[in-house]
């Protein structure tokens, strides 16, 4: 964690005191997520709150809605690409003719996949993983094998 915190400080990221165990539990409950272990450990040490980071401690209605929007953003991107770019994953089966059916199937598949927990901008960690992904619609790029590697690539 010290190496990540050093990178954040070097980039002048505003750091608030870390989240308590109760605050972590509250966030996981409110947003129906499980923080990946590395992210949880970081958030217990410090809470990055500069632009593009998430202030998990702010439970105001406006901020909760913004976080929920960030959590929903990957699915919105998939739906956009289905509607606008004829996106379809072969493993989902035969592509239905009806757009509503395509979207229903995509949501069904998305709902059983590990949830994506936002870190910074459009960078996410899948629940239960140490990997970091850049997610922009269906353009998903592997961005690091660990949280430290990700921050080295993104900010260092």
């Amino acid at each position: 964690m010290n190496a990540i915190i050093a990178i954040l400080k070097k980039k002048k990221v505003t750091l608030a005191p870390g989240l308590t165990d109760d605050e972590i539990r509250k966030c996981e409950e409110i947003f129906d997520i499980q923080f990946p272990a590395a992210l949880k450990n970081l958030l217990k040490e410090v809470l990055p709150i500069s632009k593009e980071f998430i202030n998990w401690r702010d439970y105001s209605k406006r901020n909760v809605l913004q976080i929920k929007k960030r959590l929903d953003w990957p699915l919105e991107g998939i739906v956009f690409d289905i509607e606008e770019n004829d996106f379809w994953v072969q493993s989902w089966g035969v592509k239905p003719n009806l757009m509503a059916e395509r979207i229903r199937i995509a949501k069904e598949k998305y709902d059983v996949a590990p949830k994506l927990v936002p870190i910074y901008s459009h960078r996410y960690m899948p629940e239960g993983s140490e990997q970091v992904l850049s997610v922009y619609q269906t353009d998903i790029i592997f961005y690091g094998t660990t949280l430290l590697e990700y921050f080295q690539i993104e900010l260092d």
Side-chain angles (χ1 to χ4, degrees):
M1 280 312 118
N2 290 339
I4 295 173
I5 293 169
I7 291 169
L8 295 172
K9 286 180 177 178
K10 180 179 170 186
K11 283 297 180 181
K12 303 199 182 323
V13 172
T14 303
L15 301 174
L19 298 174
T20 65
D21 287 334
D22 286 341
E23 288 174 316
I24 294 278
R25 273 192 295 279
K26 185 174 182 177
C27 286
E28 290 179 335
E29 185 178 301
I30 289 171
F31 300 109
D32 190 28
I33 58 170
Q34 292 293 312
F35 287 110
L39 183 57
K40 184 186 293 189
N41 290 337
L42 175 65
L43 295 176
K44 285 181 172 186
E45 292 288 323
V46 294
L47 178 61
I49 56 173
S50 291
K51 186 179 179 196
E52 302 291 333
F53 283 97
I54 292 179
N55 185 346
W56 295 101
R57 184 173 280 127
D58 179 355
Y59 305 115
S60 68
K61 185 176 182 177
R62 180 175 180 264
N63 194 59
V64 167
L65 289 174
Q66 284 180 330
I67 294 171
K68 286 182 177 183
K69 185 173 173 125
R70 290 273 291 273
L71 287 162
D72 292 341
W73 197 66
L75 177 59
E76 289 173 15
I78 292 169
V79 170
F80 177 86
D81 276 351
I82 289 170
E83 293 175 336
E84 302 298 325
N85 299 314
D86 201 33
F87 176 79
W88 192 252
V89 178
Q90 196 172 8
S91 67
W92 293 353
V94 176
K95 181 169 58 173
N97 291 328
L98 293 175
M99 186 63 67
E101 185 64 10
R102 292 180 199 171
I103 292 168
R104 184 196 64 75
I105 291 169
K107 286 181 179 177
E108 190 176 274
K109 300 296 184 182
Y110 183 85
D111 286 343
V112 298
K115 290 183 182 168
L116 297 176
V117 180
I119 304 168
Y120 172 79
S121 185
H122 56 278
R123 310 297 191 250
Y124 291 80
M125 290 181 82
E127 288 180 330
S129 175
E130 295 302 308
Q131 298 178 347
V132 178
L133 306 172
S134 172
V135 179
Y136 198 90
Q137 291 165 229
T138 55
D139 184 16
I140 301 170
I141 301 168
F142 178 76
Y143 232 78
T145 57
T146 65
L147 196 57
L148 173 59
E149 183 179 79
Y150 158 68
F151 279 118
Q152 288 170 332
I153 292 167
E154 183 80 51
L155 299 178
D156 205 19

